[in-house]
Amino acid sequence: MKNKIKEWLMIADKDIISAQILMTHGHDVMGDAAFHCQQAIEKYFKAYLLENNWQLEKTHNLTKLYGEILNIKDLGVDAKILKQIDDVYVDTRYPDDYSEPTEEEIKRFYNFAKEIEVKIKKELGAG
């Protein structure tokens, strides 16, 4: 695995840790925890794609990134949850009709991000 890919994984791991820490601080920062879950998944996806000779694209859209992954391999990722996390990610950046995700939602997003971490690291031989 290329050093650049290891860097992407390291930054994704930091986002997972950030999400976990924020989850312990209560409802007021659940949106920030969700943001870091999204960021972790995005970076894990990009690490996988870059390892497979993908040309880096500046996008935050998880659904689009997973579509690129599907051109390589189906990792069995739940596209419905990807869409939900994409939506929360956008909502956390723009305050117009924003409401914090529930504790239940953020736990689901966090667990999903951890599943993505395991899948991607296994695929990359970094698990």
Side-chain angles (χ1 to χ4, degrees):
M1 178 177 12
K2 304 169 204 161
N3 282 337
K4 196 65 167 170
I5 304 310
K6 290 177 185 176
E7 290 174 15
W8 279 93
L9 294 176
M10 182 183 69
I11 295 169
D13 290 346
K14 287 180 181 181
D15 278 315
I16 287 281
I17 292 165
S18 296
Q20 183 180 31
I21 291 167
L22 288 165
M23 286 170 56
T24 66
H25 284 279
H27 186 72
D28 290 349
V29 293
M30 288 299 158
D32 295 312
F35 171 82
H36 283 285
C37 289
Q38 188 281 342
Q39 286 290 287
I41 295 167
E42 177 186 330
K43 291 174 181 91
Y44 290 129
F45 280 177
K46 287 180 178 178
Y48 178 82
L49 288 165
L50 289 165
E51 183 68 11
N52 285 280
N53 301 312
W54 177 72
Q55 184 66 36
L56 181 63
E57 183 178 330
K58 292 188 178 186
T59 181
H60 301 291
N61 187 309
L62 299 180
T63 304
K64 181 176 181 178
L65 289 169
Y66 189 60
E68 295 287 334
I69 289 173
L70 286 172
N71 291 327
I72 302 164
K73 183 175 185 176
D74 185 349
L75 300 178
V77 170
D78 186 336
K80 183 178 176 183
I81 296 177
L82 284 179
K83 173 75 169 97
Q84 292 169 346
I85 295 172
D86 272 338
D87 290 345
V88 170
Y89 168 79
V90 171
D91 289 348
T92 63
R93 302 300 98 186
Y94 300 96
D96 292 346
D97 300 317
Y98 176 69
S99 62
E100 290 283 329
T102 65
E103 187 174 336
E104 182 179 292
E105 287 174 313
I106 190 57
K107 284 180 181 177
R108 188 165 41 91
F109 295 159
Y110 176 78
N111 290 333
F112 183 74
K114 291 294 289 181
E115 289 174 22
I116 297 296
E117 174 190 11
V118 170
K119 286 181 184 205
I120 295 296
K121 287 183 175 179
K122 181 180 177 189
E123 289 294 320
L124 295 175

